[in-house]
Amino acid sequence: MSAPSASSTSSTSSAPADRPAASAAPAPSARSRRLALGVIATGMLMIVLDGSIVTVAMPTIQNDLGFTPAGLSWVVNAYLIAFGSLLLLAGRLGDLLGRKRMFLAGTAVFTAASLLAGVATTPAMLIASRFLQGVGSAMASAVGLGILVTLFTEARERARAIAVFSFTGAAGASIGQVLGGVLTDALSWHWIFFINLPIGLAALVIAMPVLPADRGLGLRAGADGIGALLVTAGLMVGIYTVVQVEEYGWTSAHTLGLGALAAVLLGAFVARQATAGTPLMPLRILRSRTVAGANLVQLLMVAALFSFQILVALYLQKVLGYGSARTGLAMLPAAVAIGAVSLGVSARLNARFGERRVLLTGLVMLIGVLGLLARVPVHAHYLTDLLPVMLLGAGFGLALPALTTLGMSDAKADDAGLASGLFNTTQQIGMAVGVALLSTLAASRTEALLTNGASRATSLTGGYHLAFTVGAGFLVAAFLVACTVLRPVRPNSHPASPQSSSRNL
């Protein structure tokens, strides 16, 4: 996940002499690569679906298990804290211990945790199961991109693989809302977790023979226990602080104190990596403009698009009076548009015009999405006020594959898991910041309008308008960063391929 670099170190120089490099395995067949892509995409889809499918069933879960309103938020927060804080560590451990091993272990943990969540009979049991799901999700998803960029070494082939991977992430959330409503209404909330069991087991069975066997570099190449503790603790404290902002406020002692602690822990981690003999995260990965730019663009983009995924659903339900299943169906055109673009044309457009131009085009479309939502009326008509917004969501199908390609553009084979983990960590931090900031702004604006005598529907809509406007500002900032910082990927660049694994990061 990188750009042109200044380092002259060989990609295999950090591996112990008695251990072959991670990229030394024989090249798998085209059929094996396609099956591997299917397995990784399925695992990604399962994880993304789980994140969105739960939100639809939250009221039913609260009534059934007796959650307090504050306790209910931990059904989501426990997952987010475990997932976001462990991605970077899991990605690097994948490089050291083997990415296939990490993917299989993560999928197994996630599947087992889904069973425990499905049979949960108390709030504590469900929250613990959700935390364990987050651990498994981090282990599996952290190395997914790393496996892909080492499997698909030809530019067009890699572009198509990344498009499939991006589609599962971009459209899976909308599909999850539909599926969550249907399963909850037709069966029970338990089935939103049980549905993961056959998917997870099938992924494990197929993954074992088709994913490339890589022994990794060995723990001696990056066994920095202190660094692992610092980064995991720093991210966990930071994400916990952000998800609790709505309860405590941005300027409270709780938020400022824990935020400062997270900053100190992460600063100590960076300092440790600069001096450690075998760093967990070699800082060379951050020296590239493309790495820094791609991660910053993703942070801003994901934070902004939280307002689309979550607040649009709330607007449909609380203002327009849609039910769970109808809300999911109303947002389905966005998933279809994203899928059509990411799977159908994004790879060809990236090859013809370059990832940077395609990313900028996608960002312009997404700015249009939130710009239109910032003016959506209280009594909206779906066909004229909302359907155009859903269709413009196709911009995400352009932006995400292009951004992912740029973010992984020069990652070496031995650092591919770390690069993948870093990219996913940025995504989760952006999501957490978006949840905290935009939902808080919307709630504050709604409360102010209610105090001034506006109706509940008008007040809610006004709160959502403010959140959509701020989200559009994030996207404008992402556009400016992409224009000024990101550079086009060189046509002959083959990130993390065996042939190029000795290139600089």
Side-chain angles (χ1 to χ4, degrees), residues 393-419:
F396 200 57
L398 291 177
L400 188 57
L403 183 61
T404 303
T405 300
L406 286 166
M408 299 290 292
S409 59
D410 267 343
K412 298 181 301 183
D414 294 341
D415 288 330
L418 174 61

Side-chain angles (χ1 to χ4, degrees), residues 3 30 34 43 49 88 127 179 187 224 226 246 251 266 299 317 324 327 342 347 364 374 383 393 430 451 456:
R34 288 193 296 269
L49 283 176
L88 191 62
I127 290 172
L179 189 59
L187 298 171
D224 180 16
I226 296 175
E246 190 170 359
T251 58
L266 293 175
L299 182 74
Q317 293 180 345
S324 298
T327 296
S342 60
V364 168
L383 289 179
T451 302
R456 180 167 178 78

Side-chain angles (χ1 to χ4, degrees), residues 269-275 279-288 291 418 505:
F269 168 71
V270 173
R272 169 76 183 177
Q273 300 314 287
T275 58
L280 180 73
M281 187 183 80
L283 294 183
R284 63 178 181 270
I285 200 169
L286 299 176
R287 292 174 187 158
S288 160
V291 169
L418 174 61
L505 181 70

Side-chain angles (χ1 to χ4, degrees), residues 215-398:
R215 295 180 60 192
L217 299 171
L219 286 176
R220 284 180 294 170
D224 180 16
I226 296 175
L229 180 63
L230 287 171
V231 71
T232 303
L235 288 171
M236 192 168 289
V237 171
I239 294 172
Y240 168 79
T241 304
V242 170
V243 300
Q244 291 291 93
V245 160
E246 190 170 359
E247 179 178 351
Y248 291 96
W250 286 97
T251 58
S252 67
H254 179 276
T255 299
L256 295 178
L258 288 180
L261 175 60
V264 169
L265 289 169
L266 293 175
F269 168 71
V270 173
R272 169 76 183 177
Q273 300 314 287
T275 58
T278 55
L280 180 73
M281 187 183 80
L283 294 183
R284 63 178 181 270
I285 200 169
L286 299 176
R287 292 174 187 158
S288 160
R289 287 179 56 157
T290 302
V291 169
N295 278 277
L296 181 55
V297 168
Q298 177 170 233
L299 182 74
L300 292 165
M301 186 173 75
V302 172
L305 292 177
F306 161 78
S307 62
F308 177 80
Q309 179 182 331
I310 304 298
L311 296 185
V312 170
L314 290 175
Y315 167 78
L316 291 172
Q317 293 180 345
K318 294 187 175 183
V319 177
L320 299 187
Y322 285 23
S324 298
R326 189 180 179 192
T327 296
L329 290 172
M331 298 184 71
L332 190 59
V336 173
I338 292 169
V341 171
S342 60
L343 296 177
V345 300
S346 66
R348 292 196 294 271
L349 292 176
N350 286 335
R352 181 170 181 180
F353 299 107
E355 288 81 4
R356 182 172 173 272
R357 291 180 180 177
V358 174
L359 170 62
L360 293 174
T361 302
L363 287 172
V364 168
M365 293 175 68
L366 293 174
I367 292 170
V369 167
L370 296 190
L372 290 174
L373 286 172
R375 299 171 57 86
V376 69
V378 175
H379 303 291
H381 297 285
Y382 183 80
L383 289 179
T384 56
D385 295 314
L386 293 171
L387 184 58
V389 171
M390 302 298 169
L391 297 179
L392 272 177
F396 200 57
L398 291 177

Side-chain angles (χ1 to χ4, degrees), residues 9 15 22 37 47 50 62 230 254 279 352 430 437 459 473 488 503 505:
T9 305
L37 172 60
I47 290 166
D50 187 79
Q62 181 178 14
L230 287 171
H254 179 276
R352 181 170 181 180
L437 179 60
S459 300
R503 294 181 184 174
L505 181 70

Side-chain angles (χ1 to χ4, degrees), residues 36-338:
L37 172 60
V39 166
I40 295 170
T42 299
M44 179 69 175
L45 181 63
M46 181 174 64
I47 290 166
V48 172
L49 283 176
D50 187 79
S52 61
I53 207 172
V54 170
T55 60
V56 178
M58 294 276 274
T60 305
I61 293 173
Q62 181 178 14
N63 294 334
D64 194 17
L65 295 186
F67 272 97
T68 64
L72 184 64
S73 66
W74 282 96
V75 176
V76 174
N77 291 347
Y79 179 88
L80 283 178
I81 290 171
F83 188 27
S85 62
L86 292 173
L87 278 164
L88 191 62
L89 176 61
R92 187 53 173 168
L93 287 177
D95 290 331
L96 301 178
L97 300 176
R99 288 182 284 272
K100 176 179 180 178
R101 200 172 295 166
M102 184 62 65
F103 181 86
L104 292 174
T107 303
V109 169
F110 180 85
T111 304
S114 297
L115 175 60
L116 292 176
V119 299
T121 55
T122 65
M125 184 177 179
L126 181 58
I127 290 172
S129 300
R130 289 288 289 161
F131 187 89
L132 193 58
Q133 276 189 309
V135 173
S137 294
M139 294 169 67
S141 61
V143 295
L145 275 174
I147 295 173
L148 286 187
V149 297
T150 55
L151 271 177
F152 297 92
T153 58
E154 192 273 323
R156 285 181 179 272
E157 193 178 47
R158 182 184 299 111
R160 288 192 292 269
I162 288 177
V164 172
F165 183 85
S166 300
F167 164 72
T168 60
S174 297
I175 297 171
Q177 289 174 326
V178 178
L179 189 59
V182 171
L183 288 175
T184 302
D185 291 345
L187 298 171
S188 72
W189 66 264
H190 302 275
W191 284 92
I192 67 174
F193 299 112
F194 290 150
I195 193 68
N196 293 328
L197 302 183
I199 301 173
L201 291 173
L204 284 171
V205 170
I206 299 173
M208 288 180 187
V210 302
L211 290 186
D214 57 318
R215 295 180 60 192
L217 299 171
L219 286 176
R220 284 180 294 170
D224 180 16
I226 296 175
L229 180 63
L230 287 171
V231 71
T232 303
L235 288 171
M236 192 168 289
V237 171
I239 294 172
Y240 168 79
T241 304
V242 170
V243 300
Q244 291 291 93
V245 160
E246 190 170 359
E247 179 178 351
Y248 291 96
W250 286 97
T251 58
S252 67
H254 179 276
T255 299
L256 295 178
L258 288 180
L261 175 60
V264 169
L265 289 169
L266 293 175
F269 168 71
V270 173
R272 169 76 183 177
Q273 300 314 287
T275 58
T278 55
L280 180 73
M281 187 183 80
L283 294 183
R284 63 178 181 270
I285 200 169
L286 299 176
R287 292 174 187 158
S288 160
R289 287 179 56 157
T290 302
V291 169
N295 278 277
L296 181 55
V297 168
Q298 177 170 233
L299 182 74
L300 292 165
M301 186 173 75
V302 172
L305 292 177
F306 161 78
S307 62
F308 177 80
Q309 179 182 331
I310 304 298
L311 296 185
V312 170
L314 290 175
Y315 167 78
L316 291 172
Q317 293 180 345
K318 294 187 175 183
V319 177
L320 299 187
Y322 285 23
S324 298
R326 189 180 179 192
T327 296
L329 290 172
M331 298 184 71
L332 190 59
V336 173
I338 292 169

